[in-house]
Amino acid sequence: MHMFQPSRRAVLAGVAAGAALTAVPGMGISAAHAATAPTYRWRNAVIGGTGFITGVLFHPSVRGLAYARTDIGGAYRWDDRAARWTPLTDHLGWDDWNLLGVEAMAVDPAHRNRLYLALGTYTQSWAGNGAILRSEDRGATWTRTDLTVKLGANEDGRGTGERLLVDPRDSDTLWLGTRHDGLLKSTDRGATWAPATGFPATPSATGQGVTLLVAAGRAVYAGWGDGDGTSANLYRTTDGSTWTAVPGQPTGAHAKVPIRAAYDCHTRALYVTYANAPGPNGQSDGSVHRLTTASGTWTDVTPVKPGGTAADGSTDTFGYGGVAVDARRPGTVVVSTNNRWAAVDTLYRSTDGGRSWTSLKDTAVFDVSETPFLKWGGDQPKFGWWIQALAVDPYDSKHIVYGTGATLYGTRDLRRWAPQIRGLEETAVRQLISPPAGEAHLISGLGDIGVMYHERLTASPSRGMATNPVFGSATGLAQAAARPSYVVRAGWGDHGNGAYSNDGGRTWAPFKAQPDIAKNAPGPIATNADGSALLWSFVHWDGTKYATHRSADNGATWSEVSSFPKGATPVADPADPTLFYAYDTDTGTLYASTDSGLTFTERAGGLPSGDSQFKIVAAPGRGGHLWLSAKWNGLYRSTDGGATFTKVDSCWASYTLGFGKAADGANYPAIYQVGSTEDLTAVYRSDDEARTWVRINDDQHQWGWIGETITGDPRVYGRVYLATNGRGIQYGEPV
């Protein structure tokens, strides 16, 4: 899944882009809003994990309490009695989208209810500064401190750490390692921060900086990721003021970047994992070393040296990632390999301080019946990849958990493993369809894990990922309005990039052929009302646009449509199979086809332009009824197939729009949008053709950036499905 990470950045980059507003005649609709908003219950449509778990932390003083962090989906608290995770950062709203990535977390061993999070997803100029959240009640409520520096929870090195630490000598003192601004220190429990004096390392452009902070007795150790493999990369302070390089530390490519560290207080041994790159990608060498802190002696305890020959004859390259010690058994330590694609990653466990090791993968038995997508279209799941988060329960030596790029696995007996993931959903969602008939109320197109067919919203889809072929990330998903059994999809895949279904998305058949550009730039796809024609647009994740192609034989043959605006998303009229629409965001022009997509001509101009976030949505069952969701340019409507548009005055910003079953007594579908009717970007519903709106989410359910897609359920009034960029599929229902 690592190859699809840039798409997450590309999606969010659009938040910072601007667009000009072109005036069109107003509708004269009142901007009045309903005084009383309905109460909604929000839940995740269950898939199970689906994203990169970058850190797991058991509380050392509280049995059954643990926390997890993710690269783009916030933080969670584990409830051992309920055996599920509770999300802790869903309250972060639209303006704080950059804070849904958790760079680091820390607990206070002396105060069991205190929790600290370091938030910030990107360090680029278009992203905001980071922030610290401080809680005295395990994340139920928060106090926030905004930082003057940026953090990078979804950048290289996001699986290192932890970069946040409560000082072992003083609970009021916290340390924070940053990527570009060195080491920071707080003496008032995270309320204020300043550069730590005496820290000798100088940041470079690599964007790693301090990779880890760990307490060893009363000392604090800091890993440094900006070295060249020959200079010091591990520093220590014993007084909180003076930092020195740890003598005798390993050097060389195999120990260039310290990834994680864990301290065995019984044997006074610090274990450090290393790699030649920060990961999770790009590592090809690594090692594990033990520092006996009392004597200062370093010992190489690497379980297996990278660079050997794998079973398939390829070179077995990898780094080392997670490390955890057993608080109940002196000398027992577990480490993980990372980026080991030839022989597949594993955990190594030692009970003698690293003198000998056992690979837990060799005896592992997996049960993924609760989350079948983890088979990835095959017969068996693999042990994992991107293993940098690793923890041993301090109250149960056989309870080990480790994160991967898609889930969190756990064991209670060192042999049987299953996802320990209930309540944690991190999917970046791209497309949503709620069929008007059939078994499933929801079909989803997702980042990294393709397309899902949801028989139930409360259980992971039993078929797992859509197969034949398997996609990494979905780029397009469409259903024939008058023939809902016919569905098409497109995406990134190694064995084909498009497929169709004749049973509503239960099973799939690959297109018999595809344009050459499809492999490198699959984009959105559409089918007309009766499923007789397909339009496939091609856009590379870097933004490069290519000519759209058409098929009238289920993808057996394709022809270029030169008159279609490159990069536009094709939209089918829901009533007339001869009609397609396309919105050219570069010029603010609406194009239409009256010959089932063979040719397109300009139908309306002078509309908002300059941002790919603009979307045309066709109202179900209404031929020629088009709605243009135009970000902060607002909302526009056409009832004549795009010949003319009028501006809707009831909201000043509309980021995404969809439709659901009409309210009782209403003669138009309910409209759902993410937008702004006054000064708040939120989720709204209108039952009167956008004359008035009611907010249906609340301040505790905001999920950061939610501007990708939204749709109502055509069979259940009031139910709405919402795509998030890291908190999976949220669905809300009136209560």
Side-chain angles (χ1 to χ4, degrees):
M1 294 198 301
H2 59 288
M3 65 182 293
F4 304 112
Q5 284 297 320
S7 65
R8 294 178 178 176
R9 300 184 192 180
V11 167
L12 286 174
V15 174
L21 173 62
T22 302
V24 294
M27 291 181 66
I29 295 177
S30 169
H33 308 286
T36 303
T39 300
Y40 260 65
R41 179 186 183 186
W42 290 93
R43 290 173 286 179
N44 270 114
V46 174
I47 302 175
T50 69
F52 187 23
I53 311 296
T54 51
V56 183
L57 183 64
F58 280 103
H59 198 292
S61 308
V62 184
R63 181 186 293 270
L65 178 61
Y67 299 95
R69 63 179 169 95
T70 65
D71 51 3
I72 64 171
Y76 296 80
R77 180 184 64 244
W78 175 253
D79 182 338
D80 200 48
R81 183 171 298 176
R84 66 181 299 110
W85 296 93
T86 298
L88 301 178
T89 50
D90 283 356
H91 66 283
L92 294 168
W94 182 269
D95 292 337
D96 290 324
W97 65 266
N98 189 54
L99 302 183
L100 261 292
V102 185
E103 180 86 291
M105 55 188 176
V107 297
D108 187 342
H111 296 83
R112 57 176 51 199
N113 293 327
R114 288 182 183 170
L115 172 65
Y116 301 91
L117 300 179
L119 309 179
T121 312
Y122 301 106
T123 61
Q124 281 80 358
S125 59
W126 42 262
N129 291 336
I132 300 294
L133 291 187
R134 321 185 308 276
S135 178
E136 297 284 344
D137 52 16
R138 305 184 184 183
T141 60
W142 298 99
T143 302
R144 172 171 161 176
T145 293
D146 290 321
L147 300 172
T148 58
V149 303
K150 297 178 185 296
L151 305 180
N154 194 34
E155 298 184 357
D156 288 346
R158 57 194 180 276
T160 65
E162 295 294 324
R163 286 178 160 103
L164 186 63
L165 180 71
V166 176
D167 192 281
R169 296 157 302 162
D170 179 10
S171 289
D172 289 346
T173 298
L174 273 71
W175 302 91
L176 173 63
T178 74
R179 293 168 176 268
H180 299 286
D181 298 277
L183 182 65
L184 304 184
K185 183 179 182 180
S186 172
T187 57
D188 53 12
R189 298 209 303 270
T192 60
W193 294 84
T197 58
F199 190 71
T202 302
S204 71
T206 64
Q208 295 308 307
V210 178
T211 59
L212 65 88
L213 293 164
V214 64
R218 295 176 62 83
V220 174
Y221 288 77
W224 186 251
D226 285 349
D228 59 5
T230 62
S231 57
N233 56 30
L234 193 67
Y235 297 89
R236 176 178 59 202
T237 183
T238 56
D239 60 10
S241 299
T242 305
W243 290 84
T244 58
V246 179
Q249 62 185 274
T251 58
H254 67 282
K256 182 179 179 181
V257 181
I259 303 299
R260 286 185 172 268
Y263 181 63
D264 185 340
C265 62
H266 301 290
T267 62
R268 300 176 68 182
L270 181 71
Y271 296 88
V272 186
T273 57
Y274 291 91
N276 62 342
N281 296 309
Q283 294 177 343
S284 59
D285 200 356
S287 60
V288 182
H289 291 261
R290 184 187 70 226
L291 170 63
T292 304
T293 58
S295 64
T297 303
W298 283 92
T299 305
D300 186 341
V301 294
T302 307
V304 173
K305 304 288 185 183
T309 302
D312 63 359
S314 62
T315 303
D316 187 19
T317 61
F318 57 93
Y320 280 90
V323 56
V325 296
D326 187 336
R328 304 175 68 85
R329 297 185 177 184
T332 298
V333 59
V334 183
V335 300
S336 72
T337 64
N338 187 69
N339 206 48
R340 191 181 194 182
W341 297 104
V344 182
D345 281 303
T346 187
L347 303 185
Y348 290 105
R349 182 174 182 263
S350 173
T351 58
D352 55 12
R355 295 176 182 86
S356 60
W357 298 88
T358 299
S359 172
L360 298 183
K361 179 182 68 175
D362 295 346
T363 56
V365 177
F366 280 92
D367 178 3
V368 296
S369 57
E370 190 169 312
T371 52
F373 80 90
L374 289 170
K375 293 182 180 180
W376 303 100
D379 296 328
Q380 297 292 328
K382 59 183 177 181
F383 197 83
W385 67 100
W386 284 13
I387 305 176
Q388 295 186 296
L390 171 64
V392 177
D393 189 335
Y395 291 88
D396 182 353
S397 295
K398 293 185 178 181
H399 183 199
I400 300 175
V401 296
Y402 69 92
T404 77
T407 194
L408 185 80
Y409 281 118
T411 184
R412 300 277 182 169
D413 61 6
L414 304 183
R415 179 174 178 269
R416 291 172 294 178
W417 298 83
Q420 191 171 310
I421 205 69
R422 292 178 185 174
L424 197 159
E425 300 284 351
E426 201 206 346
T427 318
V429 185
R430 298 291 177 257
Q431 299 93 22
L432 296 172
I433 291 175
S434 185
E439 175 188 31
H441 277 253
L442 182 66
I443 305 173
S444 59
L446 311 166
D448 296 344
I449 57 169
V451 168
M452 296 280 183
Y453 178 89
H454 304 260
E455 306 100 325
R456 292 188 293 156
L457 300 176
T458 56
S460 188
S462 65
R463 293 170 179 80
M465 301 169 62
T467 60
N468 199 25
V470 169
F471 291 161
S473 287
T475 61
L477 182 64
Q479 186 172 41
R483 184 185 157 199
S485 61
Y486 187 75
V487 189
V488 292
R489 61 184 173 99
W492 294 90
D494 294 330
H495 304 287
N497 303 90
Y500 66 94
S501 171
N502 281 317
D503 55 14
R506 289 168 56 90
T507 61
W508 299 87
F511 296 151
K512 292 182 179 179
Q514 65 181 37
D516 292 341
I517 194 59
K519 184 173 180 60
N520 296 317
I525 195 167
T527 179
N528 59 352
D530 63 4
S532 62
L534 307 178
L535 286 178
W536 196 355
S537 181
F538 298 107
V539 184
H540 195 265
W541 63 262
D542 66 5
T544 305
K545 303 174 182 179
Y546 301 91
T548 292
H549 284 65
R550 178 183 185 274
S551 175
D553 52 13
N554 283 333
T557 60
W558 296 87
S559 58
E560 182 178 318
V561 184
S562 59
S563 55
F564 188 96
K566 288 183 178 180
T569 298
V571 175
D573 189 274
D576 186 343
T578 69
L579 290 177
F580 276 104
Y581 308 100
Y583 186 65
D584 187 345
T585 61
D586 292 335
T587 63
T589 304
L590 190 284
Y591 288 81
S593 170
T594 59
D595 53 12
S596 300
L598 286 168
T599 59
F600 282 78
T601 57
E602 180 179 330
R603 185 166 281 191
L607 295 166
S609 62
D611 195 312
S612 61
Q613 184 61 34
F614 300 149
K615 293 181 179 178
I616 286 286
V617 184
R622 267 69 176 178
H625 280 227
L626 303 178
W627 295 74
L628 170 59
S629 180
K631 289 193 72 172
W632 46 73
N633 289 285
L635 182 62
Y636 296 78
R637 181 186 185 186
S638 172
T639 58
D640 55 12
T644 60
F645 281 83
T646 50
K647 192 174 190 301
V648 177
D649 294 333
S650 58
C651 61
W652 65 268
S654 180
Y655 300 96
T656 188
L657 187 96
F659 299 90
K661 184 178 180 180
D664 288 344
N667 59 8
Y668 203 83
I671 306 174
Y672 299 90
Q673 75 160 338
V674 175
S676 301
T677 61
E678 292 178 341
D679 59 353
L680 179 68
T681 299
V683 186
Y684 294 92
R685 189 190 77 217
S686 174
D687 295 330
D688 56 9
E689 300 185 51
R691 292 180 177 84
T692 61
W693 299 91
V694 291
R695 184 188 180 193
I696 58 174
N697 71 325
D698 55 64
D699 290 349
Q700 296 306 308
H701 299 89
Q702 299 195 80
W703 316 286
W705 191 82
I706 50 175
E708 184 68 28
T709 190
I710 189 172
T711 189
D713 193 308
R715 290 178 273 176
V716 182
Y717 168 69
R719 182 187 289 174
V720 60
Y721 306 98
L722 176 67
T724 74
N725 193 65
R727 276 289 288 121
I729 304 165
Q730 299 288 336
Y731 73 98
E733 296 179 298
V735 295

